[in-house]
Amino acid sequence: MNTNMMDDLEEVLYTKEEIAEGVKRVAAQIRNDYAGRQLVCVGILKGGFIFMSDLVREMDMPAELDFMVVSSYGNNTTSTGALIIRKELTCDIRNRDVLIIEDIVDSGRTLSYLKEYLSGRGAASIRICALLDKPSGRKVELEADYSVFECENKFVVGYGLDFAEKYRNLPLIGVLKPEIYKKA
Ligand code: IMP
Ligand code: MG
């Protein structure tokens, strides 16, 4: 990896400003849809943490925050479906409205598994809010109820998204140069 993370990008997809604007737009949709209700926001670590921290501050409504850590069996750029829960929820979601906050929906496997898992815990409702939606990557039927951007089938990093645990702290979202993940 270059010392300047930007040198590893093929292009910038969304700037800091575009992300901030998109996050505000989605936060307003959520506030509108859940008016008068109190949400439990479940952030999926690590990818969702930056998005979640910005989103919940723009929502302007009561919300409880919790986190899960999940990892899928698979390599760095694709997931296989089997999911390991590495950190459980700490709050009781029975009869609660749950909003799962995730970095990206690609194959849809992670979130379709999680949705089923959380509905087994007795949630009253479960919706998904993803920073990015990659519909072309879908392997199972799953829709994000909210997404900030729809992106094409390219491997992206930044604003929480990683490749091999790097680039999460880039303030923008960019396409990683294929030579970076091909040599890994
Ligand atoms: P899914 O189960 O295939 O929908 O995969 C979701 C997970 O794969 C995300 O939470 C990411 O960690 C990872 N992922 C999928 N596409 C990308 C990408 O373009 N960049 C970084 N991570 C990705
Ligand atoms: Mg990841």
Side-chain angles (χ1 to χ4, degrees):
M1 185 177 70
N2 296 308
T3 46
N4 182 354
M5 292 189 286
M6 290 300 288
D7 294 341
D8 293 349
L9 299 186
E10 190 172 78
E11 62 173 311
V12 171
L13 276 188
Y14 304 105
T15 63
K16 226 172 139 170
E17 293 73 26
E18 288 168 329
I19 297 170
E21 202 177 297
V23 169
K24 271 191 190 161
R25 173 175 42 82
V26 170
Q29 278 178 301
I30 294 169
R31 178 172 57 242
N32 209 40
D33 292 354
Y34 288 93
R37 282 143 81 191
Q38 196 177 328
L39 270 178
V40 182
C41 295
V42 176
I44 309 304
L45 300 175
K46 303 171 197 167
F49 89 108
I50 292 181
F51 173 45
M52 178 174 184
S53 75
D54 284 342
L55 183 78
V56 296
R57 283 179 291 176
E58 293 292 345
M59 280 178 3
D60 193 25
M61 60 181 281
E64 209 172 307
L65 310 181
D66 206 343
F67 301 91
M68 287 181 82
V69 178
V70 302
S71 49
S72 53
Y73 292 98
N75 62 28
N76 276 320
T77 56
T78 53
S79 67
T80 55
L83 208 73
I84 322 165
I85 293 176
R86 300 200 182 274
K87 188 211 162 290
E88 255 295 355
L89 287 176
T90 54
C91 71
D92 185 359
I93 58 166
R94 250 174 306 168
N95 304 319
R96 305 291 305 273
D97 293 311
V98 173
L99 184 66
I100 304 176
I101 301 176
E102 169 66 308
D103 54 359
I104 187 167
V105 190
D106 183 18
S107 72
R109 288 186 181 118
T110 306
L111 286 170
S112 84
Y113 179 94
L114 262 182
K115 226 178 150 174
E116 202 163 307
Y117 181 80
L118 295 178
S119 75
R121 300 250 144 163
S125 73
I126 303 172
R127 283 189 186 175
I128 291 168
C129 178
L131 172 66
L132 297 170
D133 189 2
K134 241 192 229 179
S136 56
R138 219 58 110 246
K139 297 281 191 288
V140 299
E141 206 176 303
L142 183 103
E143 257 187 72
D145 301 281
Y146 306 96
S147 67
V148 179
F149 304 112
E150 202 170 280
C151 70
E152 4 166 2
N153 207 1
K154 289 182 173 168
F155 196 80
V156 297
V157 294
Y159 197 71
L161 290 137
D162 74 308
F163 170 67
E165 296 302 328
K166 292 171 200 143
Y167 312 103
R168 292 193 200 275
N169 58 329
L170 262 176
L172 45 79
I173 299 170
V175 178
L176 193 63
K177 286 180 179 164
E179 69 230 46
I180 306 280
Y181 53 81
K182 278 183 186 138
K183 74 182 175 205

